[in-house]
């Protein structure tokens, strides 16, 4: 059975079969983790994105990783937070599931995620973490390892303590 591992760091430095990008529907470089991934991968990434764009919210697209240590980038589009009554939770879950479906289709064994939608898109961290980790735990048997890469301490703590709660076997969950 595969593992879900929360790490603190910069996803552009992670060696995995694929890293996931928190992308926008146009698959344009943008800011946040997407900007960082495009800078590290080089200009070929924007060109590859152009060929597979657009990507509706909740879906994902695969490109090579170019100059990244990761072989592939899976571009997943999470929802913009608009107060919680616009299907945000369903769309966020779909973004994670779509990324993992593409990974399985390509036989990828290790995939690293950023915290999709909780930066520029404003999704509340704790709620997003519950959705993300429940899907990663459910899908982990299909992979060698799934990583959640937290860029800042607050995100790291939120995912780490929730993962501990969700995987404790003392019967309290
Ligand atoms: N490694 C890992 N996580 C990172 C990194 C990094 N190098 N840099 C930032 N994060 P965001 P969103 C974290 O805003 O909310 C872009 O312009 C960040 O701290 O990147 O889904 C896209 O093009 C946060 O925890 O993505 C879209 O237009 C998490 O990554 C829009 O922003 C996600 O924050 C998507 O917004």
């Amino acid at each position: 059975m595969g593992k879900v591992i929360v790490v603190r760091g910069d996803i552009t430095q992670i060696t995995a079969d694929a890293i996931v990008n928190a992308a926008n529907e146009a698959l344009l470089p943008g800011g946040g983790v997407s900007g960082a991934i495009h800078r590290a991968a080089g200009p070929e990434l924007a060109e590859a994105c152009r060929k597979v764009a657009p990507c509706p919210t909740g879906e994902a697209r695969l490109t090579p990783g170019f100059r990244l240590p990761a072989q592939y980038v899976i571009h997943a589009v999470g929802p913009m937070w608009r107060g919680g009554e616009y299907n945000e939770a369903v769309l966020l879950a779909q973004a994670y599931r779509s990324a993992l479906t593409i990974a399985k289709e390509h036989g990828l064994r290790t995939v690293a995620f950023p915290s999709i939608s909780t930066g520029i898109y404003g999704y509340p961290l704790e709620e997003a973490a519950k959705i993300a980790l429940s899907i990663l735990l459910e899908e982990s048997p299909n992979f060698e390892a799934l990583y959640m890469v937290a860029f800042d301490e607050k995100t790291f703590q939120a995912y780490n303590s929730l993962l501990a709660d969700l995987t404790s076997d003392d019967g309290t969950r």
Side-chain angles (χ1 to χ4, degrees), residues 9-11 22-24 28-34 36 114-121 149 151-152 155:
D10 176 351
I11 204 166
N24 53 61
L28 291 169
V33 69
S34 175
S115 177
I116 298 172
S117 285
T118 67
I120 293 165
Y121 279 178
V149 184
F151 197 51
D152 58 273
T155 302

Side-chain angles (χ1 to χ4, degrees), residues 1 4 8 28 35 40-41 58 61 66 70 88 94 114-115 121 131 161 167:
M1 160 136 172
V4 175
R8 171 103 195 256
L28 291 169
R61 301 282 186 267
F66 299 103
E88 290 96 327
Q94 277 174 10
S115 177
Y121 279 178
I131 292 167
S161 63
T167 55

